[in-house]
């Protein structure tokens, strides 16, 4: 297997606090560093002066190198857009999840090839901005065939696929309580059977503040059925108001609870005593004019925090992790170091992966170079496309 020596790294973020050449911080920063890759893996990390030889060389000429961003929350399988809904929100219309049915109709009407091309374009957009592994959810099909199709297409782009049949109750099941209950039964039964072979995760939009989303009881039933079918758990929780999602996620051992826009002290205590990561999605508060959560409350309590894009047609049509980092620093009380850690190692932990989000021998060679001497520039230069993945070998 061919080896490549990456040199000229002014500042290397390893996320390995134990590296002897690192600064001892959680980011494990090494100055004047080098990395050697072998095939798709990291083979060596350290100071440039100590670097071994390799078959190829790549000189970064004084740039910073960081682990590729891990985008642990996205909804890329959709057709159409909801720019008019966004414009209405900017003049005061609140978000309530009702627009999901609009994207559902457009997605059902699209052909497989159209959807595949749309997802491909969005994944390429992410990679061009420094993202490596991306998680992709279904959730705009909301029928057995359309959910399974969304996951089959998502699987062509990532192993981190998530079944989100419980995104909202689709319009054809909203007439009364019995009809709604029959949708929950469908999600737990036939839809789960059809989708589980194409998914690693199951997710649910648990939100009492939306009439379209799912209660704690319904969410618990759906997540439990998913677990029995061999899927691991994620939850959309506490997005529109304080609610049961965070504590349900912690109680059921979900890998992650995402949004966490509104958190009580009890929510934070339940996360602190669990292995559930709190995934914050700054682009959502930005694009819905919701208040930003205070990430410091979580970090001070010892909760692991992740950042992700939530790229979707409703609450945040941004695929940019640098944008999420910049907003988290500007408006959520994170330091640039905490935000980068959350967008890499934190997000990897939310996917229960130890082979990404870190640069150490044996990890995947998922590298992002910055057209800047330091990772500080990610938040310092918002909107400037300084991050891109490097593809070696
Ligand atoms: O993560 N809240 C639920 N799901 C998405 C939004 C989906 C949409 O509005 O299309 C979210 O914010
Ligand atoms: Fe989401």
């Amino acid at each position: 297997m061919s080896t490549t020596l990456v040199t000229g790294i002014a500042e290397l973020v390893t996320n390995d606090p134990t590296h002897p050449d690192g600064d001892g911080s959680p980011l494990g920063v090494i100055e004047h560093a080098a990395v050697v890759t072998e095939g798709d893996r990291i083979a060596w990390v350290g100071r440039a002066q100590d670097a071994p030889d390799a078959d190829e060389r790549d000189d970064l000429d004084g740039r910073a190198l960081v682990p590729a961003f891990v985008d642990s929350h996205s909804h890329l399988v959709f057709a159409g857009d909801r720019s008019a809904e966004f414009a209405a929100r900017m003049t005061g219309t609140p978000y309530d999840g009702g627009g999901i049915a609009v994207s559902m109709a457009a997605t059902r009407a699209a052909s497989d090839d159209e959807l595949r091309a749309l997802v491909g374009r969005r994944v390429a957009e992410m990679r061009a901005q420094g993202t490596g592994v991306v998680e992709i959810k279904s959730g705009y099909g909301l029928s057995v065939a359309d959910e399974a199709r969304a996951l089959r297409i998502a699987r062509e782009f990532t192993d981190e696929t998530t079944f989100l049949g419980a995104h909202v109750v689709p319009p054809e099941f909203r007439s009364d309580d019995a009809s709604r209950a029959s949708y929950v039964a469908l999600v737990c039964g036939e839809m789960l059977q059809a989708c589980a072979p194409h998914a690693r995760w199951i997710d649910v939009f648990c939100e009492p503040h939306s009439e379209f989303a799912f209660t704690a009881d319904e969410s618990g039933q759906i997540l439990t059925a998913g677990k029995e079918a061999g899927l691991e758990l994620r939850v959309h929780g506490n997005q529109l108001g304080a609610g049961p999602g965070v504590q349900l996620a912690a109680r059921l051992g979900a890998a992650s609870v995402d949004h966490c826009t509104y958190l009580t002290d009890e929510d934070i205590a339940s996360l602190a005593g669990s292995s559930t990561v709190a995934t914050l999605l700054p682009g959502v508060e930005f694009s819905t004019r919701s208040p930003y959560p205070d990430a410091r409350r979580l970090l001070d309590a010892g909760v692991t925090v992740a950042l992700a894009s939530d790229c979707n047609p409703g609450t945040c049509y941004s695929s940019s992790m640098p944008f999420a980092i910049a907003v988290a620093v500007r408006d959520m009380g994170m330091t640039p170091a905490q935000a980068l850690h959350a967008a890499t190692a934190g997000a990897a932990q939310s996917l229960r992966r130890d082979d990404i989000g870190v640069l150490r021998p044996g990890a995947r060679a998922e590298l992002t170079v910055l057209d800047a001497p330091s990772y500080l520039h990610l938040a310092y230069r918002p909107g400037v496309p300084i991050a891109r993945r490097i593809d070696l070998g």
Side-chain angles (χ1 to χ4, degrees):
M1 233 179 309
S2 143
T3 55
T4 303
L5 170 61
V6 185
T7 56
I9 306 170
E11 180 184 87
L12 177 69
V13 172
T14 65
N15 283 342
D16 178 3
T18 67
H19 195 293
D21 299 333
D23 63 357
S25 77
L27 288 186
V29 176
I30 306 174
E31 287 179 5
H32 308 295
V35 171
V36 177
T37 63
E38 182 168 13
D40 65 355
R41 298 281 157 172
I42 306 277
W44 185 91
V45 172
R47 266 201 270 266
Q49 67 209 43
D50 306 325
D53 256 349
D55 305 324
E56 315 274 334
R57 265 174 179 255
D58 190 357
D59 185 354
L60 298 188
D61 200 19
R63 293 182 173 81
L65 188 73
V66 303
F69 308 124
V70 177
D71 195 344
S72 57
H73 184 141
S74 85
H75 306 246
L76 300 188
V77 194
F78 66 88
D81 76 53
R82 289 169 23 221
S83 46
E85 181 189 314
F86 170 78
R89 259 200 321 272
M90 292 302 105
T91 54
T93 309
Y95 176 80
D96 68 357
I100 293 172
V102 174
S103 297
M104 179 204 76
T107 305
R108 286 182 181 174
S111 71
D112 289 11
D113 283 346
E114 281 164 349
L115 278 182
R116 185 173 292 114
L118 287 165
V119 177
R121 211 175 301 154
R122 292 170 188 141
V123 169
E125 196 177 277
M126 288 175 158
R127 291 193 183 287
Q129 298 172 93
T131 294
V133 169
V134 57
E135 179 264 14
I136 304 179
K137 301 176 199 298
S138 66
Y140 294 110
L142 307 184
S143 72
V144 173
D146 287 300
E147 283 295 297
R149 173 173 82 136
L151 287 163
R152 271 199 313 274
I153 291 172
R155 246 294 146 77
E156 295 173 21
F157 297 91
T158 185
D159 292 336
E160 303 294 349
T161 51
T162 301
F163 168 45
L164 182 58
H167 201 182
V168 288
V169 177
E172 62 270 29
F173 286 89
R174 284 180 192 167
S175 54
D176 53 33
D177 286 354
S179 181
R180 186 185 166 93
S182 72
Y183 185 69
V184 174
L186 181 68
V187 171
C188 293
E190 198 189 334
M191 198 184 283
L192 176 61
Q193 293 285 305
C195 290
H198 311 295
R200 176 177 178 202
W201 305 94
I202 184 167
D203 194 345
V204 53
F205 185 18
C206 176
E207 185 59 74
H209 302 273
S210 166
E211 60 183 293
F212 312 111
F214 297 86
T215 65
D217 276 358
E218 292 165 340
S219 301
Q221 276 179 56
I222 292 162
L223 292 169
T224 304
K227 202 171 192 172
E228 280 165 9
L231 302 182
E232 296 175 81
L233 313 186
R234 319 184 73 71
V235 174
H236 279 69
N238 299 45
Q239 177 182 3
L240 305 179
V246 166
Q247 294 186 42
L248 179 74
R251 193 165 66 245
L252 294 181
S256 184
V257 58
D258 299 32
H259 286 285
C260 300
T261 309
Y262 297 89
L263 293 175
T264 63
D265 289 345
E266 291 72 30
D267 292 329
I268 292 183
S270 73
L271 287 172
S274 78
S275 62
T276 303
V277 172
T279 298
L280 306 181
L281 307 165
V284 173
E285 284 82 28
F286 181 93
S287 298
T288 57
R289 288 199 190 281
S290 308
Y292 289 101
D294 180 358
R296 269 176 309 194
R297 278 174 81 204
L298 290 161
L299 292 164
D300 288 349
V303 177
T304 300
V305 172
L307 288 175
S309 74
D310 198 11
C311 184
N312 78 79
T315 59
C316 179
Y317 197 4
S318 168
S319 55
S320 171
M321 290 295 284
F323 172 72
I325 289 170
V327 176
V329 171
R330 169 65 176 76
D331 289 312
M332 289 169 36
M334 297 183 92
T335 65
Q338 288 166 338
L340 177 57
H341 195 263
T344 50
Q349 191 173 326
S350 90
L351 293 172
R352 298 207 163 137
R353 298 271 301 259
D354 58 11
D355 61 332
I356 54 174
V358 60
L359 302 182
R360 74 159 90 81
R364 295 183 67 86
E366 298 266 0
L367 306 173
T368 285
V369 63
L370 307 181
D371 278 326
S374 165
Y375 74 85
L376 292 173
H377 288 234
L378 283 165
Y380 175 48
R381 307 203 67 212
V384 182
I386 62 168
R388 68 191 143 80
R389 255 175 47 109
I390 50 176
D391 251 323
L392 300 166

